[in-house]
Amino acid sequence: MKPQLPLEQLMVSAYTVPTDAPEADGTSAWDTTKVVVVEARTGTTYGTGWTYAPLSAGALAQEQLAPVLMGSDVFDIAALHQVMCCTVRTAGRPGIASCAISAVDLALWDLKARLLGLPLVRLLGATGNSVPVYGSGGFTTYHDTHLASQLNGWVHGLSIPRVKIKIGESWGRAVPNDLQRVRLARDVIGRQAELYVDAGGAYQRKQAVRVGLAVAEQGVGWFEAPVDTEDLRGLRLVRDAVACDVAAGADAWDLPAFARLAGSGAVDCLQIDATRCGGLTEFLRAAAVAQAHGLEVSTHGAPHAHAHGAAAVPNLRHLEWFHDHARVEAMFFDGVLDPKGGTVTPGGSPGNGLSLRHEAVEPYRIA
């Protein structure tokens, strides 16, 4: 049967944006953020998706995904997602290929909603009026004044009642400094705001337990990636030993990975990154897997890529308002959301509600 609305073009562009200060977590350091943007077109209507990944993700989207998608009906996103996954089978689905699929899939969902004249959240079906957010940053490279300023801005400036900082400095070799920064964060935000920590998988198992017990004294309620997220037994050990909720999943690339995490009893909250795991299509499936295991989910990074999907998930805990990505998205798009008050409310405009600022981002373009 002839497609009703064929995909006519996939435009791929890549950008490098310098960070506003040197940044690091427990296991890596960086001073730029790389973005691959995909624009999907049928007729005069465009949909936009993106991923935070190296240029090679864009090359893969252009060279391997675009040819097999051209001419397909843009409304059949599930079928197009399956075609993309099959196409990258020999290249390997995890990693760069999954990021490329994610950007295309997000663009297709945006395009479909715009063609129907609906906000994406209306197309998906909302489960609530707003989405809780938490401020995320607090990099290990920040000096105390910088850390305090960022936390103050979220909690006292924007009234966001939950924040997260990075710990696990130097692969877990600076625990005293980690704990001092947690104490500082608590002093800055007060006793009423929620405090989270992210170790980036930097600690060893028993070390993570000791840190978890220590940060619990400062009322830390969320311990993200205390050990390598591939170490399900280690995550389970930490989860059973500490009072903090243990979270992981940011580096899961496909549905089987989420199923293993959810079924292992290793986490209290499953993190899902739609710009890595296969787009909104796989994001919604992973959230359903988590719900089947009695787990809540939280988005990872890319707040505007997740906002509409998050609003459609009944077992959502919150959305990560990650400093790097929120800053980049405010630079790249018109129509960004306002997290003031600790929630965002997607909707009101067709699709994801964003418009790419082509001229403004051109200086950052690398391909």
Side-chain angles (χ1 to χ4, degrees):
M1 186 172 67
K2 185 178 180 179
Q4 295 180 2
L5 284 174
L7 180 65
E8 296 176 358
Q9 188 179 27
L10 272 183
M11 295 179 294
V12 181
S13 51
Y15 307 86
T16 295
V17 182
T19 58
D20 56 3
E23 297 176 354
D25 59 14
T27 59
S28 61
W30 60 95
D31 57 12
T32 61
T33 300
K34 292 180 172 58
V35 193
V36 173
V37 177
V38 171
E39 296 172 89
R41 179 182 66 83
T42 183
T44 59
T45 305
Y46 291 79
T48 305
W50 65 98
T51 182
Y52 293 95
L55 172 61
S56 51
L60 189 148
Q62 203 159 40
E63 295 169 9
Q64 296 195 33
L65 302 184
V68 300
L69 298 179
M70 286 302 106
S72 300
D73 191 337
V74 296
F75 285 122
D76 295 337
I77 296 178
L80 299 183
H81 192 276
Q82 184 65 24
V83 167
M84 289 191 287
C85 291
C86 291
T87 299
V88 303
R89 183 177 58 206
T90 56
R93 164 69 192 277
I96 295 298
S98 191
C99 289
I101 291 171
S102 300
V104 175
D105 183 85
L106 287 163
L108 292 171
W109 276 104
D110 183 37
L111 176 60
K112 182 174 182 177
R114 290 176 190 268
L115 289 167
L116 296 171
L118 293 172
L120 182 51
V121 66
R122 289 291 307 280
L123 175 61
L124 299 173
T127 60
N129 295 324
S130 60
V131 176
V133 303
Y134 71 89
S136 172
F139 303 104
T140 59
T141 44
Y142 281 3
H143 53 70
D144 288 356
T145 303
H146 192 164
L147 177 61
S149 176
Q150 188 178 71
L151 295 171
N152 261 316
W154 286 325
V155 175
H156 305 301
L158 295 175
S159 299
I160 298 175
R162 53 195 82 84
V163 293
K164 184 177 78 181
I165 68 169
K166 304 289 189 183
I167 59 172
E169 181 182 346
S170 302
W171 285 89
R173 298 187 183 95
V175 171
N177 196 45
D178 291 337
L179 300 182
Q180 184 274 328
R181 295 175 71 254
V182 171
R183 290 191 293 269
L184 170 65
R186 175 55 74 194
D187 289 343
V188 170
I189 68 175
R191 304 305 302 184
Q192 299 305 311
E194 297 178 40
L195 179 57
Y196 306 159
V197 297
D198 173 11
Y203 296 128
Q204 300 301 308
R205 293 178 180 182
K206 288 292 186 70
Q207 183 187 30
V209 171
R210 292 190 292 272
V211 171
L213 295 173
V215 299
E217 296 177 3
Q218 297 300 322
V220 170
W222 167 283
F223 196 176
E224 180 176 332
V227 297
D228 190 312
T229 54
E230 294 292 324
D231 181 10
L232 298 184
R233 292 184 66 182
L235 285 171
R236 179 64 185 266
L237 182 150
V238 177
R239 184 196 178 204
D240 288 346
V242 303
C244 314
D245 281 356
V246 168
D251 297 324
W253 301 106
D254 54 23
L255 202 59
F258 290 111
R260 288 191 293 272
L261 261 174
S264 67
V267 296
D268 297 288
C269 188
L270 189 67
Q271 293 177 281
I272 315 175
D273 189 333
T275 71
R276 293 179 178 176
C277 73
L280 183 57
T281 299
E282 204 83 326
F283 172 86
L284 296 172
R285 293 170 179 171
V289 168
Q291 188 175 20
H293 287 85
L295 297 175
E296 290 183 312
V297 300
S298 179
T299 70
H300 176 265
H304 292 89
H306 290 104
H308 289 257
V313 171
N315 54 322
L316 179 81
R317 183 177 296 194
H318 40 43
L319 178 148
E320 181 179 22
W321 198 262
F322 181 53
H323 171 71
D324 277 3
H325 297 174
R327 173 176 171 265
V328 168
E329 288 161 14
M331 296 167 62
F332 274 50
F333 300 108
D334 290 324
V336 294
L337 300 168
D338 183 359
K340 189 172 184 178
T343 64
V344 292
T345 304
S349 299
N352 59 26
L354 304 174
S355 299
L356 184 62
R357 305 173 64 208
H358 290 91
E359 291 185 9
V361 302
E362 191 61 29
Y364 303 106
R365 183 168 178 155
I366 55 176

